[in-house]
Amino acid sequence: MAKPGAVLSSFAAPSTTTAGIAWDGHSIWLAATVPAATIYQLDPRNGNILQSFPAPGNSFPCGLAWDGEALWHTDQNVAQPKIFRVSPTNGRVLRRLTSPCATTRGIAWDGRSLWLPDRGAASIFEVEPSTGATRRSIPSPVATVSSIAWDSHSLWVVADVTEVIYQLDPRNGNILQSFPAPATSHTGMAWDGKDLWVSSYNTNLVYRVAV
């Protein structure tokens, strides 16, 4: 049995500027900024592109999450950070919300709420998905959290300065466990029901990591 943090597999991302990632039960979705703001659907076995479409906002695509029917996507527009619900078929925007975070990066879906870490503020917001209203917030373990995922019971976050992955109690932000992340400058995180997937801006790789 692999120890927490062990890299089980990896593949090269289709862009040199990897951002958020999501798992839809079969494939990996990845947001990137170069050569253009794009969302890719990828084969998790090898990273082959299954489809792609322009990211909404066309500014600084960051987080991705899957809610069972559609993608949630964050755009780190400095003037007005946005949250988009996006059709996985063609990228059509289904809903548009204003983010409560000053610096919006990752996003996760727990079946009821969206979760967004505010990079620099050491807070994680639980957000109502219809209106964008903040339900509550919990403390983040560090101020440099860059992505977030949900595993049906707890939150997972990765920090791109300390390069550590944390499992958090969603009730209060208490750390349940932590271990080193696989690389540096991590920009995306997703849960596939057994393992974590983590993307790195520096290595341009997507890693499957044991927990």
Side-chain angles (χ1 to χ4, degrees):
M1 182 176 180
K3 68 177 183 178
V7 174
L8 303 174
S9 63
S10 65
F11 61 78
S15 167
T16 56
T17 56
T18 61
I21 57 176
W23 171 260
D24 68 2
H26 304 284
S27 54
I28 289 285
W29 294 84
L30 181 142
T33 58
V34 173
T38 303
I39 294 175
Y40 298 90
Q41 184 184 17
L42 307 175
D43 186 328
R45 298 171 297 178
N46 48 33
N48 288 350
I49 298 172
L50 304 177
Q51 69 161 323
S52 65
F53 46 77
N58 197 31
S59 176
F60 197 126
C62 287
L64 281 177
W66 174 255
D67 69 6
E69 296 180 353
L71 292 162
W72 288 91
H73 168 61
T74 59
D75 187 285
Q76 189 184 311
N77 183 308
V78 176
Q80 194 174 30
K82 291 289 187 182
I83 304 168
F84 301 93
R85 189 169 187 258
V86 180
S87 167
T89 304
N90 53 22
R92 182 170 63 91
V93 174
L94 306 174
R95 191 174 306 157
R96 187 188 311 256
L97 305 171
T98 298
S99 172
C101 305
T103 306
T104 298
R105 289 288 184 91
I107 187 169
W109 169 256
D110 71 0
R112 174 179 176 269
S113 300
L114 298 167
W115 292 87
L116 295 97
D118 192 344
R119 180 180 169 83
S123 295
I124 300 171
F125 292 92
E126 182 183 6
V127 173
E128 205 286 322
S130 297
T131 64
T134 298
R135 285 180 164 148
R136 63 191 181 100
S137 66
I138 59 173
S140 174
V142 292
T144 57
V145 167
S146 56
S147 194
I148 188 168
W150 172 258
D151 71 359
S152 298
H153 303 287
S154 55
L155 293 165
W156 294 85
V157 298
V158 61
D160 66 357
V161 174
T162 59
E163 314 302 354
V164 172
I165 292 172
Y166 302 89
Q167 183 185 18
L168 306 179
D169 187 327
R171 298 171 298 178
N172 48 32
N174 287 351
I175 298 172
L176 303 176
Q177 68 167 315
S178 65
F179 47 83
T184 58
S185 296
H186 301 88
T187 51
M189 174 177 277
W191 171 257
D192 70 4
K194 180 182 178 183
D195 304 311
L196 286 170
W197 293 79
V198 184
S199 58
S200 166
Y201 183 95
N202 278 356
T203 66
N204 192 39
L205 293 174
V206 178
Y207 303 87
R208 184 167 63 97
V209 177
V211 298

